[in-house]
Structures are given as C-alpha cells and as structure tokens.
Amino acid sequence: MFKIGIGYDIHKKLSTRPLYLGGILISKKNGLLGHSDADILIHTICDSILGALAEGDIGDHFSDSDPKNKNKRSTYFLKKILKIMQKKSYKIVNIDSTIICEKPKLSRFKNKMRMNISRIINLPIDKISVKATTSEGLGIIGKDMAMACKTIVLLKKNESV
Ligand code: ZN
C-alpha cells in the first residue's frame, strides 16, 4: 500500500536572520522570516508526509500563534511528524525536493542537506534528492525577496513480519 504526498512553502527573506535549510546552518545572515527557524526544505518534507497520511498540514500540528513553537528548529517538527507516520505503520520510500532561490548558490550544500535529512529520518541517502534552481530573475523569488521549496514523498505501509 503506497501513499504519495506533496509539500510547498515560501518564506520572505530577512537579512538579519540565519538561513537554515535541511536542518543545516547555511549562513548566519540573509535567512528567512518565520515563527520557527523558517527551514523551507524541512517544512515541505513535513507537509508532504502529513499530506500522504491525510493528516492536515504543519500549521495544524504546530500553530505559528503558539509561543511554544517560536524559534523552534524545524527538525523538531519533522521528528514529531515521523512519529505520527510510524504510529500509522508507514515508512518513507523516497523524497524528492526542489529549492527555488536566487541566492545563495546551493550546489555545495546539497549533499550536506541530503546527509542530514538521511540521518534524521534514518533513510539511505540514495532515497533522498535535494535539487536547487533559480527563478531566472522573475517575480519575488527572482528579485531575491523570497525562497520557495517543493517536495514530494512516497510512503509505503510496513509489511507485518
Ligand atoms: Zn514554512
């Protein structure tokens, strides 16, 4: 039994905040505005898993009006969502993500992000894809005012042994 899920996220850039992607500190400035650490890659992974399980979205589980969630690392949300998935007896088959931004260039961070996600969700790195593209100067992402991310995930029901 397979289930597929999609996640989409966009955050405004904010020069004074650190940039976290895939649970990794990419830079100490030019990060993203948000209630948590605004890690769009982790947010879309969370939303894609919740989507596959038809369990709502990340905001339903971790409200941005709840002071408890302020400045929380998004990897904390992901770990909680993995528990929900495991309770429903599903595991991740593979994850495919695309980050859309003008700056910074992410090519040298892609493998680090994959490795970190692999460690958090306990899935081999060859099942985790992180891609990066630009918006070719078009729109708010192209003007470097925002970053976006899209993720798709495939889940499989655990076989009972
Ligand atoms: Zn977000």
Side-chain angles (χ1 to χ4, degrees):
M1 173 75 179
F2 291 96
K3 283 176 183 279
I4 196 165
I6 190 167
Y8 170 76
D9 199 15
I10 183 165
H11 282 244
K12 267 189 219 166
K13 290 195 80 169
L14 189 67
S15 59
T16 52
R17 284 200 100 202
L19 178 63
Y20 285 98
L21 291 173
I24 283 180
L25 179 66
I26 303 286
S27 80
K28 288 185 180 155
K29 51 188 178 70
N30 297 319
L32 297 170
L33 180 63
H35 194 67
S36 66
D37 63 7
D39 188 327
I40 48 172
L41 176 51
I42 298 293
H43 287 182
T44 59
I45 293 173
C46 288
D47 257 356
S48 65
I49 296 168
L50 289 172
L53 298 169
E55 279 284 340
D57 57 45
I58 191 171
D60 294 333
H61 292 263
F62 307 100
S63 168
D64 62 7
S65 58
D66 188 339
K68 260 197 318 198
N69 296 325
K70 188 150 175 66
N71 293 324
K72 270 256 159 55
R73 292 295 304 275
S74 300
T75 47
Y76 165 84
F77 306 142
L78 177 57
K79 285 171 191 164
K80 293 271 183 192
I81 287 163
L82 290 170
K83 289 224 169 76
I84 297 171
M85 179 188 77
Q86 283 151 6
K87 232 184 217 165
K88 292 193 143 196
S89 297
Y90 278 89
K91 63 178 182 190
I92 296 170
V93 177
N94 74 304
I95 295 174
D96 184 18
S97 296
T98 300
I99 301 165
I100 309 127
C101 71
E102 295 299 306
K103 284 182 212 160
K105 286 280 166 254
L106 293 173
S107 40
R108 72 190 177 95
F109 297 106
K110 285 190 287 190
N111 270 335
K112 278 187 196 158
M113 291 188 259
R114 291 172 68 213
M115 269 190 275
N116 197 45
I117 296 163
S118 165
R119 185 183 58 78
I120 294 165
I121 66 182
N122 194 24
L123 188 73
I125 196 162
D126 65 349
K127 305 284 192 337
I128 299 161
S129 156
V130 174
K131 312 188 298 299
T133 188
T134 72
S135 194
E136 297 283 334
L138 299 168
I140 50 167
I141 296 171
K143 303 275 175 288
D144 200 29
M145 292 165 65
M147 287 178 83
C149 188
K150 295 175 183 189
T151 290
I152 193 161
V153 71
L154 185 68
L155 305 186
K156 186 176 190 275
K157 190 112 185 173
N158 286 327
E159 314 279 343
S160 50
V161 186

